[in-house]
Amino acid sequence: MNNFKVDFRPLLLLINIGFVICVLFFCYLIFGDMLAPSFQPDPVVQKSASTSSGNSVDDYDKVVDGIHVQTGLIYAEGFEIVRATCTACHSAKLVTQNRATKEGWTQMIRWMQATQGLWDLGKNESTIVNYLAKHYAPTEVGRRANLDVAAIEWYILELE
Ligand code: HEC
């Protein structure tokens, strides 16, 4: 009779191993997300993290030949206010590629206030307009001024 006794130990061992695997698997499901970061390499901090314009962060206040490198704006009285105000919504390029008189700049500001949500500039407005009209004034290479029709002496072209 003794010879027919079934040995359950291998089966119990298998069940045990299966149980341990199940426990480990559930632990993985529950805590896996927490553990994952510790197996990843540390992020490498680049020494000169670059900005969208390709300049390094160190260039934030860099001025070369009177031009503020990061914005391209002329570095002069009123620059800080203009930078703070006029680069909030768009690139400073929109400013630097334009030329206008005081009236022209004021008109552009009014237009942005009326249609683009530019806020009231208060006492900064005169500083800003002065800076713009001084450094971004119309030049000869820009668009020519409108003809003064009344001042033109008209003549009849005689064709023989
Ligand atoms: C509240 C957001 C905002 C601020 C602040 C702002 N602008 Fe603008 N500006 C705009 C928008 C929007 C446009 C239109 C952009 C486009 O057409 O792509 C624009 C366009 C312009 C243009 C181009 C106008 C044209 O006729 O093409 C100039 C120049 C300009 N802005 C100058 C300035 C100056 C100078 C300042 C600082 C006083 C300033 N902006 C501040 C929103 C703003």
Side-chain angles (χ1 to χ4, degrees):
M1 279 300 262
N2 248 351
N3 292 343
F4 292 100
K5 194 178 171 194
V6 182
D7 189 357
F8 283 111
R9 276 175 302 177
L11 192 65
L12 281 173
L13 189 70
L14 251 150
I15 290 171
N16 262 330
I17 290 172
F19 179 74
V20 168
I21 288 175
C22 279
V23 168
L24 286 175
F25 180 67
F26 278 113
C27 282
Y28 168 74
L29 282 186
I30 295 165
F31 300 112
D33 284 348
M34 282 184 223
L35 294 174
S38 57
F39 292 109
Q40 281 163 3
D42 289 341
V44 179
V45 179
Q46 275 168 357
K47 226 179 171 194
S48 61
S50 48
T51 60
S52 55
S53 60
N55 299 320
S56 84
V57 183
D58 305 335
D59 288 350
Y60 187 74
D61 278 327
K62 195 168 163 190
V63 175
V64 174
D65 293 337
I67 304 281
H68 178 252
V69 174
Q70 208 175 57
T71 56
L73 287 166
I74 290 169
Y75 190 79
E77 192 191 336
F79 161 78
E80 290 297 346
I81 294 173
V82 170
R83 191 238 293 250
T85 312
C86 305
T87 62
C89 300
H90 49 64
S91 151
K93 281 213 181 76
L94 269 190
V95 181
T96 57
Q97 70 196 7
N98 266 283
R99 297 285 178 277
T101 57
K102 267 189 189 184
E103 291 72 40
W105 282 113
T106 309
Q107 267 176 29
M108 278 188 248
I109 289 173
R110 291 289 170 273
W111 171 78
M112 278 180 285
Q113 284 169 333
T115 63
Q116 312 296 338
L118 175 60
W119 50 90
D120 182 21
L121 300 175
K123 62 178 167 52
N124 285 341
E125 185 172 303
S126 62
T127 314
I128 292 171
V129 171
N130 282 337
Y131 169 93
L132 294 170
K134 186 171 173 195
H135 302 291
Y136 299 98
T139 55
E140 295 86 71
V141 290
R143 198 173 160 220
R144 69 162 170 75
N146 287 340
L147 292 176
D148 184 357
V149 179
I152 295 173
E153 281 184 44
W154 298 96
Y155 60 91
I156 311 241
L157 183 63
E158 307 267 10
L159 294 172
E160 280 159 329

